[in-house]
Amino acid sequence: MKTSKVGEVMTSEVIGARQETPFKDVAQLLARHRISGLPVVDADDKVLGVISETDLIRRQAAKAERDRGGRFRLPALRRKVRIATAKARAMTAGQLMSTPAITVHPEQPVADAARVMERHHIERLPVVDEEDRLIGIATRRDLLRVFLRTDEEIRQEIIDEVLTRAMCLPPHTVIVSVQNGTATLEGRLERRSDIPLVVQLTWRVDGVVGVMNSLTFRIDDTRPPEKHPSHRIAHHWLPER
């Protein structure tokens, strides 16, 4: 099965910052390029951390609280409070960035990258090569490109990759139609056990948002074969040697 990889949808031209980049320059980079975040890299282009608009806003909010004489109360020793206090004083990208950076590789499936984003509640993932050097950035918008495929593109891939290549079915065994990303499968398969496999593989095609299964079968191979009573031959019937 062909699956879209991160390297196919990522943005190769990455706007990044160095550890020593001033806070104000970071804000200007985000505004000038109309992006919501950027990676921070070292001299070898290895990702050290990530800065988002949220980091900048929290820094300004914490600074305003500090300027008003506000104090962090009780849990002053808690890690989150210590981080917030440090970011309120952040003057450079290195002091402001969130670490460690969560990265992906270009050969990882888009679906895996989406799960990483969801699990960590982040909007972007730096893409790194085998030496962990920055080569691109994958945003939520980039990952959503797989759902911008036309219905005809999706239909043809189901026919080519699922029915013909993976299942080795004769042409026109299954009639496929796709509307707004929902694939409908109609036809008759030889074995019942093949139906869930066809449905599962169809779900994996990039751009599919739903599967309507109208497949039937000729042989139900999911049920155990009927047992017929055996007729044993009495011992004294056996010929003598």
Side-chain angles (χ1 to χ4, degrees):
M1 288 293 299
K2 179 182 179 297
T3 303
S4 291
K5 304 295 178 61
V6 171
E8 298 171 359
V9 300
M10 72 178 187
T11 301
S12 299
E13 296 181 5
V14 188
I15 305 301
R18 301 286 186 182
Q19 283 184 282
E20 63 275 12
T21 303
F23 168 85
K24 190 171 183 179
D25 289 353
V26 172
Q28 289 175 342
L29 283 172
L30 297 181
R32 185 184 311 130
H33 296 281
R34 297 182 180 180
I35 53 178
S36 60
L38 49 76
V40 180
V41 297
D42 63 13
D44 294 323
D45 281 339
K46 293 188 177 181
V47 182
L48 304 173
V50 176
I51 296 176
S52 68
E53 289 176 327
T54 303
D55 292 321
L56 272 69
I57 292 171
R58 285 176 180 167
R59 186 264 190 191
Q60 290 302 87
K63 181 178 181 299
E65 178 70 16
R66 189 191 66 187
D67 291 346
R68 285 201 305 270
R71 293 175 177 269
F72 293 108
R73 303 192 177 173
L74 247 187
L77 298 179
R78 289 183 181 177
R79 183 172 181 271
K80 287 184 178 180
V81 175
R82 293 200 305 271
I83 293 174
T85 303
K87 287 194 175 184
R89 301 188 178 96
M91 298 299 294
T92 65
Q95 296 168 341
L96 186 64
M97 67 184 181
S98 297
T99 58
I102 300 169
T103 62
V104 292
H105 290 271
E107 292 302 312
Q108 286 184 245
V110 166
D112 288 354
R115 281 192 287 270
V116 171
M117 281 188 181
E118 189 64 23
R119 187 182 308 125
H120 295 280
H121 307 289
I122 53 181
E123 300 290 330
R124 66 201 55 78
L125 287 167
V127 185
V128 297
D129 62 15
E130 294 80 2
E131 297 180 352
D132 289 330
R133 290 193 174 95
L134 182 68
I135 59 173
I137 195 86
T139 65
R140 288 179 180 265
R141 181 177 298 177
D142 292 328
L143 301 189
L144 286 173
R145 289 181 191 173
V146 299
F147 295 106
L148 300 179
R149 305 179 72 194
T150 66
D151 288 341
E152 181 55 32
E153 288 175 332
I154 297 171
R155 174 183 172 275
Q156 196 58 52
E157 183 168 335
I158 294 172
I159 293 172
D160 294 342
E161 297 295 328
V162 176
L163 304 178
T164 303
R165 186 168 177 270
M167 299 301 301
C168 299
L169 295 175
H172 311 301
T173 301
V174 176
I175 304 302
V176 182
S177 59
V178 180
Q179 185 172 9
N180 297 325
T182 298
T184 300
L185 308 174
E186 300 174 283
R188 189 183 189 192
L189 301 184
E190 182 71 12
R191 297 182 300 271
R192 183 176 187 175
S193 61
D194 285 339
I195 293 178
L197 182 57
V198 170
V199 173
Q200 183 182 24
L201 292 177
T202 300
W203 264 113
R204 294 182 184 178
V205 172
D206 290 334
V208 170
V209 298
V211 179
M212 298 291 292
N213 175 27
S214 297
L215 296 172
T216 61
F217 55 90
R218 194 179 73 83
I219 299 173
D220 188 355
D221 61 336
T222 62
R223 298 177 60 182
E226 294 183 6
K227 293 183 179 179
H228 299 285
S230 60
H231 300 284
R232 297 184 61 186
I233 302 175
H235 180 71
H236 62 275
W237 287 357
L238 295 176
E240 294 183 359
R241 294 185 178 179

